[in-house]
């Protein structure tokens, strides 16, 4: 089952169900995705009935221009760093010592808005080091405090694809304070479709999205790393987040930047990783961060070529400038 949100003039938009091929849709009975998450047991049967109607040929033609982030805002966004290769490269990029911990890394970010998949994204200053981060995420229902990893996956209701926008010259300054990121982590973006784990078939395994995340920067392939390489699965990340608190329904938990050890072959899912690789190889970075008008495209693809989450395709727009 694939869910999306269309613009209706309200902060949370209107929830719709979308066909597997992404061509058709049906409206839901007054639901938003956040309200559906808060009472999933009641909402899911009605949503599945609509999904069955779509697969039988019902529904109207979907206008992609109306699509917002499937979850335009939520109560909580917790982003992990579950790919060890990414962590190692970022330590080089930022000139930081290794993190000596066997626990998942996680921070709490901005959740009062998620950009839509085709929204131009505003930034204040290119000197802040504008970067994208391609990753996967899950949306959970209510998770009781102390839920162990063995029980955590039953709380995953939807899987999403995320662009975690980051400002790289600010990040190390904030990291050295010992507090969380604020300035370095603006609003993220989501691909248009949130997908139930079962709809992903064999690509959802062991709490991981086992798909390649295809990333293009300004029309050229930048990376195709696999989400299967998480050192910690989403069950581990959920258990970590819920150790000392309940997780409210609608909490979004991210995997962190998708990264593979064979990055020389598959590429990267963010610019900062490439700059770290250049530091290792050449002694200094050469790839620039993004500027006004630069565009990033992301789409996860399974072994059959299906892109279950749809496509993120966004341009950088500097404050005071018009979208190009």
């Amino acid at each position: 089952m694939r869910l999306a949100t269309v613009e209706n003039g309200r902060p949370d938009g209107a929830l719709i169900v979308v066909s597997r091929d992404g061509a058709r849709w049906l409206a839901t009975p007054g639901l938003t995705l956040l309200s559906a998450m808060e009472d999933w047991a009641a909402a899911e049967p009605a949503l599945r009935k609509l999904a069955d109607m779509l697969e039988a040929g019902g529904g109207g033609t979907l206008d992609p221009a109306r699509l917002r982030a499937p979850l335009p805002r939520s109560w909580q966004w917790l982003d992990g760093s579950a790919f060890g290769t990414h962590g190692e490269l970022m330590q080089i990029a930022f000139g930081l010592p290794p993190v000596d911990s066997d626990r998942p890394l996680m921070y709490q970010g901005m959740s009062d808005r998620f950009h839509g998949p085709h929204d131009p994204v505003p930034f204040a200053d290119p000197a802040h080091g504008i970067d994208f981060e391609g990753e996967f995420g899950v949306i959970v229902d209510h998770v009781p405090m102390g839920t162990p990893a063995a029980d955590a996956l039953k709380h995953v209701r939807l899987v999403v694809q995320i662009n975690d926008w980051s400002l790289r010259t600010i990040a190390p300054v904030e990291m050295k304070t010992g507090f969380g990121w604020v300035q370095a982590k603006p609003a993220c973006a989501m691909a248009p479709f949130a997908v139930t784990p079962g709809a992903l078939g064999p690509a959802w395994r062991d709490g991981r999205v086992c798909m390649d995340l295809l990333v293009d920067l300004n029309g050229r392939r930048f990376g195709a790393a696999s989400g299967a390489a998480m050192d910690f699965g989403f069950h581990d990340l959920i258990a970590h987040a819920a150790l000392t608190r309940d997780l409210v329904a609608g909490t979004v938990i991210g995997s962190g930047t998708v990264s593979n050890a064979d990055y020389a072959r598959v590429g990267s899912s963010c610019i900062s990783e490439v700059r770290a690789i250049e530091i290792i190889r050449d002694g200094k970075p050469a790839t620039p961060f993004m500027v006004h008008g630069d565009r990033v495209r992301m789409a996860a693809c399974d072994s059959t070529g299906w892109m279950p989450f749809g496509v993120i395709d966004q341009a950088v727009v500097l404050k005071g400038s018009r979208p190009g």
Side-chain angles (χ1 to χ4, degrees):
M1 182 166 61
R2 304 171 88 191
L3 303 178
T5 293
V6 293
E7 178 62 54
N8 68 349
R10 295 180 177 273
D12 296 306
L15 180 65
I16 64 172
V17 183
V18 179
S19 61
R20 179 180 170 83
D21 63 7
R24 290 167 291 107
W25 69 283
L26 284 168
T28 65
L31 289 174
T32 67
L33 185 51
L34 189 56
S35 67
M37 292 305 305
E38 290 172 337
D39 193 1
W40 186 253
E44 183 185 25
L47 296 174
R48 288 203 176 275
K49 183 176 180 180
L50 293 173
D52 291 342
M53 292 170 62
L54 285 166
E55 298 315 311
T61 301
L62 181 66
D63 178 5
R66 292 187 62 202
L67 295 177
R68 301 177 59 182
L71 190 62
R73 61 177 180 170
S74 192
W75 305 111
Q76 187 166 224
W77 155 238
L78 302 173
D79 196 15
S81 182
F83 293 86
T85 298
H86 176 71
E88 293 165 6
L89 290 172
M90 294 306 290
Q91 288 157 15
I92 294 167
F94 288 161
L96 298 172
V99 177
D100 184 17
S101 175
D102 58 358
R103 301 168 60 193
L105 302 178
M106 186 174 287
Y107 73 94
Q108 184 161 323
M110 177 178 175
S111 64
D112 65 337
R113 74 200 65 181
F114 289 94
H115 292 299
H118 306 297
D119 292 345
V121 183
F123 293 95
D125 189 340
H128 292 160
I130 302 167
D131 198 0
F132 53 85
E133 292 191 60
E135 59 184 90
F136 297 109
V138 295
I139 306 176
V140 298
D141 61 10
H142 172 252
V143 182
M145 180 171 58
T147 295
D151 296 333
L153 289 183
K154 68 183 181 183
H155 293 286
V156 174
R157 298 308 182 190
L158 296 166
V159 185
V160 293
Q161 178 191 309
I162 295 168
N163 181 7
D164 176 30
W165 288 101
S166 298
L167 299 174
R168 299 303 196 184
T169 61
I170 299 175
V173 177
E174 290 193 307
M175 290 171 71
K176 289 175 182 177
T177 68
F179 283 78
W181 284 307
V182 175
Q183 295 176 338
K185 290 292 186 177
C188 302
M190 284 188 186
F193 307 126
V195 184
T196 52
L200 296 177
W204 176 252
R205 298 193 305 272
D206 194 26
R208 292 161 170 84
V209 181
C210 301
M211 296 184 186
D212 293 341
L213 182 57
L214 310 181
V215 180
D216 296 339
L217 177 60
N218 293 328
R220 299 185 65 179
R221 181 55 42 87
F222 196 86
S226 171
M230 291 173 74
D231 292 356
F232 298 95
F234 278 109
H235 48 300
D236 300 309
L237 298 181
I238 294 167
H240 175 79
L243 180 66
T244 60
R245 64 172 90 172
D246 287 359
L247 301 183
V248 66
T251 294
V252 187
I253 297 179
S255 67
T257 305
V258 178
S259 183
N260 294 172
D262 57 342
Y263 48 76
R265 181 180 65 86
V266 302
S268 298
S269 303
C270 71
I271 294 172
S272 198
E273 275 196 14
V274 170
R275 290 170 62 89
I277 294 164
E278 292 167 344
I279 291 171
I280 295 169
R281 186 186 64 216
D282 305 322
K284 61 181 180 180
T287 301
F289 290 116
M290 299 179 77
V291 297
H292 177 76
D294 281 349
R295 181 174 292 276
V296 63
R297 182 184 189 277
M298 301 178 181
C301 184
D302 72 6
S303 60
T304 70
W306 184 46
M307 298 180 179
F309 309 104
V311 176
I312 293 175
D313 190 352
Q314 295 182 298
V316 166
V317 178
L318 295 182
K319 186 177 179 181
S321 301
R322 293 181 179 181

